[in-house]
Amino acid sequence: MNRFWNYEDYVKYLSHDNSLVREWAFDALEKKYANRYTDEISKLISDEDSHLACAAPKYLAAHKAVQHAPAILNSFLHDSGNIPSNCAEALSKMKYEPALETIIENIQNNPNTDSLFGIFDYLGSIYDDRAREILISAVERIKDPMLNGHAVYNLLKHEHQEDIAWITDIILKSIKKGKDPELIGVDGFGDYCDATDYFNDFSKKFGPKSIILDPSKAFDSFFNKNDHLSVAQNVKDELILLIKKNQYQDLITTLLSDARDTIQKRYPEETVPNEIIKLFNQDSAGIFLFETLSKQPSLWPKLKTSQNYNDLLILVSFVLSVYFSILKRNVYVKALMPNVQIADLIQAIQNSGPSVPEELSQKVVDLAPVVELKAALSDELNTWGDIHIVNIMGRIGKKEFVSDLIRVLNEADGLDFIYGDAIRAINAMDESADELILKAGQNNEINGLDLASILEYLPYPESFDLIMEKWRDESSELNSYEMLAYCLRGIGDPRGIPVLQEIYNNENNAGYIGEPLECLSILHKDDIPELSAIREKRKEDENRQKLREQELNDMFNDQKNNRKITPFQREAPKIGRNDPCPCGSGKKYKKCCLNKS
């Protein structure tokens, strides 16, 4: 088979003067060549196309291209929209410390809210006292729940015991005042402990108040969804009984006791190895939360007698989610230790929850155990581990995975996470897998809708022939003009130009055809008559978008000018070395948690 475009072509077209062509080239490099890297992407930093300007820093950070961090920092300072936030997020993933002074100066000049999300990510990744001080001030001042939670999460990443104590105190105070604790501290603390998915399960997904009103049903639903968790039946029965009897103080005591036993067995040595220190810190935060709540016996009667169950629902859901996040980390500790066996790594992936430590995934990717990964996919394809295995297959990119990924497409529900992940993994397969994938499509092993998303990254004449065969087949599921247009654009066959011209000129609901048609015509230097109308339409859309952005900016500036803006400053008193330790031990800070911090 002869390719229309190869890797070198896509790299060359990153410098094209038309943004549609640059997007086409970047899309192919990002999706089809996800396991390769090119410096040429750095030319897209601050690109006039905002999509590319946002995507380029993410790409460079994912490939650890720290040499381009200065250019990303410059874009952070001089661009607008979502670009600064994406640049700050990229700098955070690179842990680029030289940007700290510039970031601090920027935040003191009151950046917009969009930028703050990326800035907080950066400040959470740079373990410097100044970064931590700004995050403390942000937690104190910011009222927006999502932004506040993001600040809390990044503050806790600094691993200071006094910050964990402070955030725990904020959560308790908000509960005692009758405020919604979900909005004040809980989200950020849960993110830090990697407990957010479990919290959402208990507080939202199993029916309103079900964990309070029907704990048996809630637990059944929870374990059905999270079958990677293993809890002794007597422990589960005890938790359910305590909730049914409204014995919440005893519930906390039970969770604390069981969590302590688990952690003592997990970390038998006094010194915790660096490979698992992050897991240890997350576990310690959970223990501290339970210890603090165990000293609040008067809290629960107040919540039980409240007419609004929401505070009780959230607090019970919160403590259970943190408890189960502690249990799930057991499988990761062994897998992250040096000289671990492949079987232990695979088992850890299979028994993982909604998220898995990146260090663990990377270990498996580096070893590339093809046979073991193929055998590790379950028959039902319904576990979190299956999803992670599919993603790892895509990151490795071996052609041996093609049959497994096609099985996932054919057997998984189209709305499942694993379904979309399988398509992305197939797209990322090495070029040696192209013929296998194309033959599977020709043999009707892949349905029409899936095929359009896959052939888009297989630039062969045979791909064009196959997608047109499916398009003309009335029994095929492929009936979307947009999917066809972007598939033809990706394949890049010049025969796609007249096909898209016909649709553009004759179909009333073919609004997405213009840009793919223009891109194909430019690639093949075909000056089609539709170009002027397509470009005029795009110019009108861009002007409309700029006008809307200006209206929003004017509104923001009006609000800003009507109130006094003060840069973030720390309001909470700094803890001195000789002050009482905030953990409540009765010892001086220097004799207690200072060294632990």
Side-chain angles (χ1 to χ4, degrees):
M1 300 191 305
N2 295 317
R3 291 178 65 92
F4 288 117
W5 318 98
N6 56 36
Y7 179 80
E8 290 71 24
D9 291 324
Y10 294 125
V11 172
K12 179 183 71 174
Y13 277 112
L14 289 172
S15 302
H16 198 277
D17 59 3
N18 186 285
S19 65
L20 296 178
V21 175
R22 295 197 298 276
E23 285 187 23
W24 167 81
F26 178 83
D27 187 48
L29 289 168
E30 184 184 37
K31 303 283 178 37
K32 179 61 182 175
Y33 299 98
N35 303 315
R36 295 180 66 175
Y37 166 75
T38 174
D39 270 314
E40 297 298 312
I41 297 288
S42 65
K43 295 180 180 179
L44 302 178
I45 301 172
S46 295
D47 193 274
E48 64 181 6
D49 184 293
S50 60
H51 167 73
L52 291 173
C54 287
K58 290 184 177 181
Y59 173 94
L60 296 168
H63 289 274
K64 300 179 174 58
V66 182
Q67 67 271 26
H68 298 297
I72 295 173
L73 179 59
N74 185 64
S75 179
F76 167 80
L77 289 173
H78 297 105
D79 287 301
S80 59
N82 290 324
I83 296 173
S85 185
N86 282 279
C87 288
E89 184 180 352
L91 293 170
S92 76
K93 291 181 178 178
M94 293 177 172
K95 297 187 182 298
Y96 185 65
E97 294 187 19
L100 181 60
E101 296 291 345
T102 304
I103 296 286
I104 290 176
E105 182 179 349
N106 178 272
I107 200 171
Q108 289 173 341
N109 292 328
N110 304 301
N112 62 46
T113 300
D114 289 337
S115 298
L116 287 176
F117 281 98
I119 288 173
F120 290 166
D121 281 329
Y122 177 80
L123 295 174
S125 68
I126 304 299
Y127 303 134
D128 181 280
D129 286 343
R130 293 168 297 171
R132 177 171 165 258
E133 291 287 328
I134 292 173
L135 288 168
I136 289 172
S137 179
V139 173
E140 290 175 328
R141 290 174 174 269
I142 291 176
K143 305 303 180 186
D144 177 80
M146 288 185 64
L147 193 54
N148 182 278
H150 205 58
V152 167
Y153 164 67
N154 281 288
L155 172 63
L156 294 179
K157 284 166 61 179
H158 281 257
E159 312 290 3
H160 280 251
Q161 181 70 34
E162 62 181 288
D163 295 337
I164 294 173
W166 181 49
I167 298 302
T168 302
D169 188 53
I170 288 175
I171 295 171
L172 289 177
K173 285 181 178 178
S174 68
I175 293 172
K176 291 175 181 178
K177 290 179 180 179
K179 295 181 179 179
D180 189 344
E182 182 183 5
L183 307 181
I184 309 174
V186 168
D187 286 346
F189 196 107
D191 284 345
Y192 171 72
C193 291
D194 198 17
T196 300
D197 289 291
Y198 299 155
F199 173 73
N200 289 334
D201 287 342
F202 280 122
S203 64
K204 299 171 184 176
K205 294 182 181 177
F206 301 147
K209 307 174 186 175
S210 63
I211 188 60
I212 303 298
L213 302 180
D214 193 350
S216 296
K217 179 181 178 182
F219 269 93
D220 286 344
S221 299
F222 178 80
F223 284 108
N224 183 56
K225 180 181 178 183
N226 299 285
D227 57 1
H228 57 282
L229 292 169
S230 178
V231 182
Q233 186 63 44
N234 64 311
V235 174
K236 185 170 87 168
D237 292 341
E238 183 179 6
L239 297 180
I240 291 172
L241 184 61
L242 291 172
I243 296 173
K244 282 183 176 180
K245 292 184 174 182
N246 297 327
Q247 295 176 349
Y248 300 111
Q249 187 64 24
D250 292 337
L251 173 68
I252 290 296
T253 303
T254 301
L255 294 178
L256 173 59
S257 176
D258 193 64
R260 274 178 174 164
D261 289 344
T262 298
I263 289 173
Q264 286 173 358
K265 294 174 184 176
R266 185 178 297 168
Y267 310 103
E269 302 296 331
E270 189 170 329
T271 301
V272 179
N274 287 333
E275 290 85 356
I276 57 173
I277 192 67
K278 178 181 176 181
L279 304 180
F280 174 78
N281 289 331
Q282 290 173 320
D283 288 340
S284 299
I287 292 294
F288 183 86
L289 172 71
F290 296 151
E291 288 175 342
T292 304
L293 285 172
S294 70
K295 301 170 185 175
Q296 303 286 328
S298 63
L299 174 64
W300 301 101
K302 179 181 177 182
L303 295 180
K304 285 191 293 183
T305 57
S306 172
Q307 293 182 352
N308 184 357
Y309 274 88
N310 203 43
D311 289 352
L312 182 61
L313 166 69
I314 287 174
L315 188 55
V316 172
S317 299
F318 180 47
V319 296
L320 288 174
S321 67
V322 172
Y323 168 73
F324 286 116
S325 75
I326 290 174
L327 296 190
K328 80 171 177 183
R329 278 188 282 275
N330 197 51
V331 71
Y332 300 147
V333 171
K334 184 178 181 181
L336 288 175
M337 295 299 284
N339 304 317
V340 65
Q341 299 297 310
I342 289 178
D344 293 324
L345 287 173
I346 297 295
Q347 184 181 28
I349 296 292
Q350 286 178 307
N351 296 327
S352 61
S355 61
V356 65
E358 171 56 25
E359 300 87 348
L360 174 55
S361 295
Q362 190 60 50
K363 270 191 171 186
V364 181
V365 171
D366 292 341
L367 292 170
V370 173
V371 174
E372 292 84 352
L373 284 169
K374 288 171 66 68
L377 275 178
S378 73
D379 293 335
E380 296 79 12
L381 299 173
N382 61 356
T383 70
W384 291 111
D386 290 324
I387 295 174
H388 300 313
I389 289 169
V390 164
N391 283 317
I392 289 171
M393 286 178 170
R395 291 172 62 179
I396 294 173
K398 299 282 189 180
K399 65 180 181 181
E400 288 85 353
F401 295 132
V402 169
S403 60
D404 304 280
L405 295 173
I406 290 175
R407 176 173 81 86
V408 173
L409 287 184
N410 290 329
E411 296 181 12
D413 189 294
L415 297 178
D416 289 344
F417 290 129
I418 197 171
Y419 176 86
D421 290 342
I423 288 180
R424 283 187 288 272
I426 290 175
N427 290 337
M429 290 291 104
D430 186 83
E431 284 184 12
S432 62
D434 288 357
E435 189 170 357
L436 282 175
I437 298 170
L438 191 56
K439 282 185 176 179
Q442 293 168 337
N443 293 334
N444 295 314
E445 296 173 30
I446 306 173
N447 71 48
L449 287 175
D450 297 340
L451 201 57
S453 299
I454 291 169
L455 294 179
E456 183 178 350
Y457 301 99
L458 295 177
Y460 298 95
E462 293 86 351
S463 297
F464 177 85
D465 295 335
L466 182 54
I467 198 63
M468 291 310 302
E469 176 187 331
K470 296 296 181 182
W471 178 253
R472 295 178 180 125
D473 183 356
E474 294 184 359
S475 64
S476 171
E477 296 177 0
L478 179 60
N479 57 11
S480 165
Y481 290 123
E482 183 181 6
M483 291 192 73
L484 175 67
Y486 279 93
C487 181
L488 295 180
R489 182 204 71 153
I491 294 170
D493 190 318
R495 291 177 291 171
I497 296 175
V499 173
L500 295 182
Q501 280 180 293
E502 181 181 358
I503 296 173
Y504 180 81
N505 290 313
N506 297 306
E507 300 294 341
N508 292 328
N509 58 343
Y512 294 98
I513 302 301
E515 290 189 356
L517 176 55
E518 181 180 355
C519 181
L520 265 182
S521 68
I522 294 171
L523 285 171
H524 294 287
K525 298 181 174 58
D526 188 349
D527 190 17
I528 59 175
E530 290 84 0
L531 283 181
S532 58
I534 291 172
R535 289 168 177 167
E536 183 63 30
K537 175 67 165 57
R538 184 166 67 254
K539 186 176 180 180
E540 290 176 2
D541 291 341
E542 289 173 353
N543 289 337
R544 217 171 6 250
Q545 179 64 23
K546 288 179 181 178
L547 180 61
R548 178 58 180 155
E549 289 176 359
Q550 186 60 50
E551 289 174 351
L552 292 173
N553 287 334
D554 291 344
M555 185 185 305
F556 174 78
N557 289 329
D558 287 343
Q559 293 174 347
K560 182 177 178 180
N561 293 332
N562 288 332
R563 70 183 191 275
K564 183 179 179 181
I565 303 294
T566 306
F568 289 134
Q569 296 176 353
R570 182 186 178 112
E571 290 183 347
K574 187 173 182 178
I575 300 175
R577 290 170 56 83
N578 293 310
D579 290 341
C581 187
C583 76
S585 66
K587 300 178 183 179
K588 290 184 178 181
Y589 181 46
K590 67 181 180 181
K591 293 290 188 181
C592 190
C593 291
L594 174 61
N595 293 328
K596 297 178 184 177
S597 300

